[in-house]
Amino acid sequence: MIIAGSDNHFPVHIGIIMDGNGRWAKKRMLPRSAGHRAGAEAMRRTCDACRKLGVKYVTFYTFSTENWKRPKDEIDTLMSLFEEYLDKAESFTGKKARILFLGDKSPFPVTLRDRMEELEKNSAAYDSMTIMFAMNYGGRDDIVHAARQIAEYSVKGDISPADVDENLLQGLLYTKGAPDADLIIRTSGEQRLSNFLLWQSAYAELYFTDVLWPDFGEKELKAAIDSFMQRQRRFGGV
Ligand code: IPE
Ligand code: IPE
Ligand code: MG
């Protein structure tokens, strides 16, 4: 039985690459939109499971900086699903979880952006659990965005080159004070990061499963955590 806090090997921060919605739909001869809807439900279920198991930080890869390449009707479907789920976000994130959105919000429709900002503001004081949604997120963009802030501080004369270190850069990432990812889960059999949490997963354990995202839930989450807890992490030491 896995319970957070009962063992120091329990992952503090879990990142999830929710992949396989399209293939799930195709297998059922349904439109891709049905896969995304089922995927949103899986996200809600997994949020519940994380809360139940005591996961302190969870990041859901929801929409990448590269996903804008998809056909317009698929993007429109995704935007309306995001609106629908963010409207009821507090019902599945729990009333006491901090919610953060990782990525540049400016390309999203204004109603969605307002809702994202409202959720962040209303939950800013909670610290028992943090739920992050990576939306219009790319690991490279995360680092570029931090580097740009460093350049601005430098131009203003607030910092000198010697002040630039890992701590400074880490604090400027979209994940702000969140610890590095311990465990990255990717569904659907693909074995790549696709530009997710590049800096934050420097020493993460990777877990790949053939399960398609819409079929993911508590059982699969526990299997990933079990696998994580059996691994020996060395961080470059012996
Ligand atoms: C993940 O499922 C959802 C997003 C990337 C938004 P996909 O839509 O990538 O599903 P597949 O990979 O085509 O099966
Ligand atoms: C990664 O999935 C992005 C999200 C899960 C949001 P993709 O389906 O976009 O990744 P690739 O294209 O297979 O690498
Ligand atoms: Mg995919």
Side-chain angles (χ1 to χ4, degrees):
M1 164 101 159
I2 44 173
I3 302 168
S6 65
D7 184 316
N8 63 2
H9 293 309
F10 193 88
V12 176
H13 181 181
I14 301 180
I16 307 181
I17 304 174
M18 309 183 283
D19 199 13
N21 294 353
R23 278 161 284 169
W24 183 92
K26 193 170 179 199
K27 261 174 55 182
R28 288 164 178 75
M29 305 220 284
L30 293 168
R32 291 179 62 85
S33 57
H36 291 314
R37 178 161 289 282
E41 272 305 296
M43 186 274 295
R44 196 186 50 71
R45 269 200 311 273
T46 307
C47 248
D48 279 347
C50 284
R51 257 193 307 149
K52 193 171 141 194
L53 297 176
V55 176
K56 284 280 281 176
Y57 296 84
V58 59
T59 303
F60 292 100
Y61 201 9
T62 309
F63 192 83
S64 75
T65 45
E66 288 73 34
N67 286 147
W68 296 107
K69 290 182 199 158
R70 296 192 178 200
K72 185 179 178 303
D73 65 333
E74 179 162 348
I75 291 179
D76 289 347
T77 300
L78 286 167
M79 295 301 143
S80 12
L81 260 182
F82 296 158
E83 287 204 23
E84 184 185 325
Y85 274 77
L86 292 192
D87 275 345
K88 56 182 179 192
E90 277 134 345
S91 68
F92 59 84
T93 56
K95 296 246 176 321
K96 294 269 180 268
R98 181 170 188 200
I99 300 171
L100 283 176
F101 294 92
L102 316 182
D104 174 13
K105 297 183 186 71
S106 63
F108 289 114
V110 67
T111 47
L112 193 55
R113 228 156 60 205
D114 287 351
R115 181 64 184 146
M116 290 158 100
E117 275 160 13
E118 187 190 343
L119 283 166
E120 286 185 327
K121 196 164 140 257
N122 293 348
S123 66
Y126 300 143
D127 59 5
S128 60
M129 181 187 187
T130 301
I131 301 171
M132 296 177 274
F133 297 99
M135 284 174 66
N136 187 31
Y137 178 85
R140 288 183 172 179
D141 179 60
D142 200 354
I143 296 165
V144 167
H145 174 254
R148 195 175 300 129
Q149 293 173 74
I150 290 174
E152 279 165 13
Y153 295 148
S154 173
V155 166
K156 282 197 221 142
D158 292 343
I159 57 167
S160 67
D163 297 322
V164 181
D165 59 12
E166 292 191 10
N167 261 337
L168 178 77
L169 202 137
Q170 170 141 13
L172 295 170
L173 295 171
Y174 287 119
T175 38
K176 298 199 180 79
D180 279 351
D182 296 302
L183 168 63
I184 301 281
I185 298 170
R186 184 170 188 147
T187 55
S188 88
E190 307 297 350
Q191 302 192 0
R192 53 179 172 265
L193 289 174
S194 300
N195 206 10
F196 183 51
L197 298 181
L198 297 183
W199 173 288
Q200 298 88 337
S201 65
Y203 266 98
E205 295 296 323
L206 309 180
Y207 179 87
F208 301 107
T209 169
D210 288 338
V211 170
L212 299 172
W213 176 251
D215 295 324
F216 196 89
E218 185 175 333
K219 180 170 146 270
E220 289 73 25
L221 179 68
K222 279 184 174 160
I225 295 175
D226 271 341
S227 160
F228 173 88
M229 289 172 70
Q230 281 160 31
R231 301 185 192 187
Q232 200 200 352
R233 301 175 84 190
R234 283 186 283 276
F235 300 99
V238 286

